[in-house]
Structure formats: structure tokens, C-alpha cells
Amino acid sequence: MTTPAHERGRKLIQLYRRGVGGERENAGRLLATHLRAHDLTLYDLDPSLPVSQDVRALEAWRESAALLVKLGTPEQDEVLTQLVDAEDLTQAELERVLAATDLEKLVRLRAEGWAYSDALEAADFERAGQGLTPAEVLPHAGPLAERVRAALRERHGALTRPQRLLRAANPLTAHLFLGFVESVGGRGARLTEDGVSVRLSPDQLARVRTLMATYGEGLTQQALRQAEALALEKGREHP
């Protein structure tokens, strides 16, 4: 609803928010008087505010709350561009914004900037964003846009560095694989019963296999000799 009383009240709210010192106090007194005179509440003037005539409620006002009330209105697309970067949303508010956001569209709009920062191609981010789901976004931290970006990094990593299993016949070979994997930048390496599970790109996988073929036997013999020497040393310490 918009009446002269509503318009006057909204102007007084703006004066209160922007004012300092005596100017702010004066705007607050005028606003309180105006609300009582016209039987209005703060909510009547701004749906992001409580149903109250207590001007002190303005102290707890958040811009994000004012934007959230516009979800589901013709202004939704405009306010979403701000809400996806809001850092003060509660979990429930974040989920509301997420439900209203077209994730693939957000990725298309931000892909170039994100890709530049991460030294990737925008097309890579856009491909990773296809079919992105809220369940992939929510576990991350920060504003919604940053959560989407983190989810894209994970997806991009999974696409370019699929999970590999490097089979090892014994623990020594498995640990050699761990060392080679770390040297080429493999991600998420862990020992399994069959060897080493790790995310590697095709180039990284080829480098690991080349390293193992070139140095594996020599390192194995060196490690066995060192193990023998250590055993001999311990044996002599405890005759």
C-alpha cells in the first residue's frame, strides 16, 4: 500500500538510517510520532521490518532482509544478483535464495571471472555447472556464490582428474606410488587394500607410471637394503 502517510514514513526511515548524531535522533522522534499518528507499524512501511512502532528495531535491520522480501516478486532477478553474495544470511535464508536461484544461469554469468581467477577456461566451469544441484552446493562455506564456485571446483576436479586405482602387489610398492603421486600433484591419495586410490589427470597418470617404470625397481632395492641395515642396527642394539 502506498499513501502519503506511507511515503512520508519511508522517507523518515531513510533519514534515520543515513543520519548521524542529532539529525538521526530527530528523525527517530519524527518517525515514532508519525507511526503513532497514522496507526502504522514499521512493517507497513517496509516488509523486512517487524510489526512494531519501536524505532529501535531499525538498529537490527539488514539489507539482506529487505532484499529477501522481494523474492517471488517481479524484482526477484534483480535482488538475487545481490543476495547470492550476501554474507549475513541464516541457513534458512540461504536455502530460500538457493531455491530461487537458477544455478546454471549463475554459473554462466560468473564463469569468466571465476575461471580467470583460477587460471581455467570459462567453458570448463560452464561444463562443470551443468546439472549442478543444491545438495552439491550447500555443504560448502560462505555466501551462495562462493559455495557454487567451490562446488564447481570439485566437479571440475572430478571431470579432469577422475578417481584412479593404482594397484600395488605389496605395501612398499604402494608407498612408492604415494610418493610419485604427490610429486605430480595428485589429489586425495589414500592407501587401500589393493594399492592407492587417487584423483589423477591422464597426463599425471602417465607420469606416475613412467616414474614407477623408470625408478620403481631401483627404489625398491634401495628401500630393502635400508630396511636390512635398520634391522641389523636394531639387532645389535638388543643382542
Side-chain angles (χ1 to χ4, degrees):
M1 179 184 296
T2 299
T3 68
H6 285 79
E7 290 296 332
R8 171 65 175 165
R10 290 174 185 136
K11 289 179 180 178
L12 288 171
I13 286 178
Q14 291 176 2
L15 287 173
Y16 181 83
R17 286 172 174 161
R18 296 172 183 171
V20 294
E23 181 184 7
R24 181 182 177 87
E25 291 179 8
N26 186 51
R29 285 194 297 270
L30 290 173
L31 177 58
T33 300
H34 183 78
L35 292 174
R36 290 192 297 270
H38 295 277
D39 194 25
L40 295 172
T41 68
L42 293 171
Y43 177 85
D44 295 321
L45 305 179
D46 183 341
S48 69
L49 296 172
V51 181
S52 171
Q53 292 184 332
D54 188 348
V55 176
R56 290 174 298 181
L58 290 172
E59 300 297 335
W61 177 85
R62 296 180 299 136
E63 183 179 6
S64 297
L67 296 173
L68 282 164
V69 300
K70 296 180 181 179
L71 293 180
T73 74
E75 298 176 76
Q76 175 169 296
D77 287 347
E78 181 180 348
V79 300
L80 279 174
T81 62
Q82 301 174 67
L83 285 171
V84 295
D85 293 310
E87 298 181 354
D88 61 347
L89 298 181
T90 65
Q91 185 66 20
E93 290 171 342
L94 182 73
E95 290 176 5
R96 282 186 61 200
V97 174
L98 179 56
T101 300
D102 182 332
L103 293 177
E104 291 191 18
K105 180 179 179 181
L106 176 61
V107 171
R108 288 195 300 272
L109 292 173
R110 300 288 181 96
E112 187 171 346
W114 288 343
Y116 179 80
S117 298
D118 291 351
L120 297 171
E121 295 294 330
D124 293 336
F125 263 138
E126 291 190 31
R127 279 193 295 272
Q130 293 175 1
L132 189 66
T133 67
E136 294 174 274
V137 172
L138 278 176
H140 297 282
L144 180 58
E146 282 304 309
R147 294 182 188 225
V148 170
R149 185 178 184 180
L152 288 179
R153 288 196 188 106
E154 279 194 356
R155 273 195 161 203
H156 181 265
L159 290 171
T160 58
R161 297 180 177 85
Q163 199 75 34
R164 317 276 189 177
L165 176 61
L166 304 175
R167 296 188 179 278
N170 53 66
L172 177 54
T173 301
H175 281 274
L176 290 178
F177 269 133
L178 278 178
F180 290 141
V181 160
E182 184 175 351
S183 74
V184 302
R187 297 183 181 178
R190 61 183 179 85
L191 290 170
T192 70
E193 291 183 358
D194 298 315
V196 175
S197 177
V198 62
R199 290 192 177 280
L200 293 169
S201 69
D203 287 346
Q204 289 172 328
L205 177 61
R207 288 174 61 195
V208 168
R209 295 203 180 284
T210 297
L211 288 168
M212 180 60 82
T214 304
Y215 302 108
E217 180 61 28
L219 289 173
T220 297
Q221 294 304 317
Q222 181 180 342
L224 292 174
R225 288 193 297 271
Q226 289 177 342
E228 181 180 348
L230 287 171
L232 176 60
E233 180 181 344
K234 290 298 179 183
R236 287 173 174 171
E237 290 176 359
H238 303 280

Short mmCIF file of all heavy atoms in Angstrom, two decimals, residues 12-14 16-17 24 27-28 31 42 46 49-50 54-62:
data_model
loop_
_atom_site.label_atom_id
_atom_site.label_comp_id
_atom_site.label_asym_id
_atom_site.label_seq_id
_atom_site.Cartn_x
_atom_site.Cartn_y
_atom_site.Cartn_z
N LEU A 12 11.23 9.13 6.30
CA LEU A 12 11.77 9.29 7.64
C LEU A 12 12.69 8.12 8.01
O LEU A 12 13.71 8.31 8.69
CB LEU A 12 10.63 9.40 8.66
CG LEU A 12 9.85 10.72 8.63
CD1 LEU A 12 8.61 10.64 9.51
CD2 LEU A 12 10.75 11.88 9.06
N ILE A 13 12.35 6.92 7.55
CA ILE A 13 13.23 5.77 7.78
C ILE A 13 14.58 6.00 7.10
O ILE A 13 15.64 5.74 7.67
CB ILE A 13 12.58 4.47 7.26
CG1 ILE A 13 11.45 4.04 8.20
CG2 ILE A 13 13.62 3.35 7.16
CD1 ILE A 13 10.71 2.78 7.74
N GLN A 14 14.54 6.49 5.87
CA GLN A 14 15.79 6.76 5.15
C GLN A 14 16.62 7.82 5.87
O GLN A 14 17.84 7.70 5.99
CB GLN A 14 15.48 7.21 3.73
CG GLN A 14 14.90 6.11 2.85
CD GLN A 14 14.52 6.61 1.47
OE1 GLN A 14 14.73 7.79 1.14
NE2 GLN A 14 13.96 5.73 0.65
N TYR A 16 16.56 8.44 9.03
CA TYR A 16 17.09 7.84 10.26
C TYR A 16 18.31 6.98 9.96
O TYR A 16 19.31 7.04 10.68
CB TYR A 16 15.99 7.00 10.91
CG TYR A 16 16.42 6.34 12.20
CD1 TYR A 16 16.39 7.04 13.40
CD2 TYR A 16 16.88 5.02 12.21
CE1 TYR A 16 16.79 6.44 14.59
CE2 TYR A 16 17.29 4.42 13.39
CZ TYR A 16 17.24 5.13 14.57
OH TYR A 16 17.65 4.54 15.73
N ARG A 17 18.24 6.20 8.91
CA ARG A 17 19.35 5.31 8.58
C ARG A 17 20.59 6.07 8.14
O ARG A 17 21.72 5.67 8.42
CB ARG A 17 18.92 4.34 7.47
CG ARG A 17 17.98 3.24 7.95
CD ARG A 17 17.44 2.43 6.79
NE ARG A 17 16.63 1.30 7.24
CZ ARG A 17 15.76 0.65 6.48
NH1 ARG A 17 15.58 1.02 5.22
NH2 ARG A 17 15.08 -0.37 6.97
N ARG A 24 19.97 12.17 13.37
CA ARG A 24 19.40 10.82 13.47
C ARG A 24 18.36 10.76 14.59
O ARG A 24 17.28 10.18 14.42
CB ARG A 24 20.54 9.82 13.74
CG ARG A 24 20.12 8.37 13.85
CD ARG A 24 21.35 7.52 14.16
NE ARG A 24 21.03 6.13 14.35
CZ ARG A 24 20.97 5.22 13.39
NH1 ARG A 24 21.19 5.59 12.14
NH2 ARG A 24 20.69 3.97 13.65
N ALA A 27 15.18 12.47 13.46
CA ALA A 27 14.43 11.64 12.51
C ALA A 27 13.72 10.51 13.23
O ALA A 27 12.59 10.15 12.89
CB ALA A 27 15.38 11.09 11.44
N GLY A 28 14.37 9.94 14.25
CA GLY A 28 13.75 8.87 15.02
C GLY A 28 12.51 9.34 15.76
O GLY A 28 11.49 8.64 15.79
N LEU A 31 9.74 9.93 13.26
CA LEU A 31 9.22 8.67 12.75
C LEU A 31 8.29 8.02 13.78
O LEU A 31 7.20 7.54 13.42
CB LEU A 31 10.37 7.71 12.41
CG LEU A 31 9.97 6.31 11.94
CD1 LEU A 31 9.09 6.38 10.69
CD2 LEU A 31 11.22 5.47 11.66
N LEU A 42 6.31 -0.37 11.56
CA LEU A 42 7.47 -0.39 10.66
C LEU A 42 7.25 -1.36 9.50
O LEU A 42 7.67 -1.11 8.37
CB LEU A 42 8.73 -0.77 11.45
CG LEU A 42 9.18 0.25 12.49
CD1 LEU A 42 10.29 -0.34 13.36
CD2 LEU A 42 9.66 1.53 11.81
N ASP A 46 7.94 -1.13 5.48
CA ASP A 46 8.98 -1.98 4.90
C ASP A 46 8.77 -3.40 5.41
O ASP A 46 8.97 -3.67 6.60
CB ASP A 46 10.36 -1.47 5.32
CG ASP A 46 11.50 -2.26 4.68
OD1 ASP A 46 11.26 -3.40 4.21
OD2 ASP A 46 12.63 -1.75 4.65
N LEU A 49 10.87 -5.27 8.01
CA LEU A 49 10.93 -4.81 9.40
C LEU A 49 9.81 -5.45 10.22
O LEU A 49 8.81 -5.91 9.66
CB LEU A 49 10.80 -3.28 9.44
CG LEU A 49 11.95 -2.51 8.77
CD1 LEU A 49 11.62 -1.02 8.70
CD2 LEU A 49 13.26 -2.75 9.51
N PRO A 50 9.95 -5.47 11.54
CA PRO A 50 8.94 -6.12 12.38
C PRO A 50 7.65 -5.31 12.49
O PRO A 50 7.62 -4.11 12.18
CB PRO A 50 9.64 -6.22 13.75
CG PRO A 50 10.63 -5.11 13.74
CD PRO A 50 11.11 -5.00 12.32
N ASP A 54 8.30 0.57 17.50
CA ASP A 54 9.53 0.87 18.21
C ASP A 54 10.64 1.15 17.20
O ASP A 54 11.12 0.23 16.52
CB ASP A 54 9.91 -0.29 19.12
CG ASP A 54 11.09 0.04 20.03
OD1 ASP A 54 11.74 1.09 19.80
OD2 ASP A 54 11.36 -0.74 20.95
N VAL A 55 11.05 2.39 17.11
CA VAL A 55 12.06 2.79 16.13
C VAL A 55 13.39 2.08 16.36
O VAL A 55 14.18 1.90 15.43
CB VAL A 55 12.24 4.32 16.16
CG1 VAL A 55 13.36 4.77 15.23
CG2 VAL A 55 10.93 5.01 15.78
N ARG A 56 13.63 1.62 17.58
CA ARG A 56 14.89 0.94 17.87
C ARG A 56 15.05 -0.35 17.06
O ARG A 56 16.16 -0.86 16.89
CB ARG A 56 14.99 0.62 19.37
CG ARG A 56 15.19 1.85 20.25
CD ARG A 56 15.13 1.50 21.72
NE ARG A 56 13.82 0.96 22.08
CZ ARG A 56 13.50 0.58 23.32
NH1 ARG A 56 14.40 0.67 24.30
NH2 ARG A 56 12.29 0.11 23.58
N ALA A 57 13.94 -0.87 16.55
CA ALA A 57 14.01 -2.09 15.73
C ALA A 57 14.80 -1.85 14.45
O ALA A 57 15.31 -2.80 13.84
CB ALA A 57 12.60 -2.57 15.38
N LEU A 58 14.94 -0.60 14.05
CA LEU A 58 15.71 -0.30 12.85
C LEU A 58 17.19 -0.61 13.03
O LEU A 58 17.91 -0.81 12.05
CB LEU A 58 15.55 1.19 12.48
CG LEU A 58 14.18 1.61 11.97
CD1 LEU A 58 14.11 3.12 11.84
CD2 LEU A 58 13.89 0.96 10.62
N GLU A 59 17.64 -0.66 14.29
CA GLU A 59 19.06 -0.95 14.54
C GLU A 59 19.43 -2.35 14.08
O GLU A 59 20.58 -2.62 13.74
CB GLU A 59 19.37 -0.79 16.03
CG GLU A 59 19.10 0.60 16.58
CD GLU A 59 19.96 1.67 15.93
OE1 GLU A 59 21.05 1.33 15.44
OE2 GLU A 59 19.53 2.84 15.90
N ALA A 60 18.46 -3.26 14.12
CA ALA A 60 18.73 -4.65 13.74
C ALA A 60 18.44 -4.91 12.27
O ALA A 60 18.53 -6.04 11.80
CB ALA A 60 17.90 -5.60 14.61
N TRP A 61 18.11 -3.86 11.54
CA TRP A 61 17.76 -4.03 10.13
C TRP A 61 18.97 -4.48 9.32
O TRP A 61 20.09 -4.04 9.55
CB TRP A 61 17.25 -2.71 9.57
CG TRP A 61 16.92 -2.75 8.10
CD1 TRP A 61 15.76 -3.16 7.54
CD2 TRP A 61 17.78 -2.35 7.02
NE1 TRP A 61 15.83 -3.04 6.17
CE2 TRP A 61 17.05 -2.55 5.82
CE3 TRP A 61 19.07 -1.84 6.95
CZ2 TRP A 61 17.58 -2.26 4.58
CZ3 TRP A 61 19.61 -1.56 5.71
CH2 TRP A 61 18.87 -1.77 4.54
N ARG A 62 18.73 -5.40 8.40
CA ARG A 62 19.77 -5.86 7.48
C ARG A 62 19.30 -5.64 6.06
O ARG A 62 18.14 -5.88 5.74
CB ARG A 62 20.05 -7.35 7.68
CG ARG A 62 20.61 -7.75 9.02
CD ARG A 62 20.84 -9.26 9.06
NE ARG A 62 19.60 -9.99 8.88
CZ ARG A 62 19.45 -11.05 8.09
NH1 ARG A 62 20.48 -11.51 7.39
NH2 ARG A 62 18.29 -11.67 7.99
#
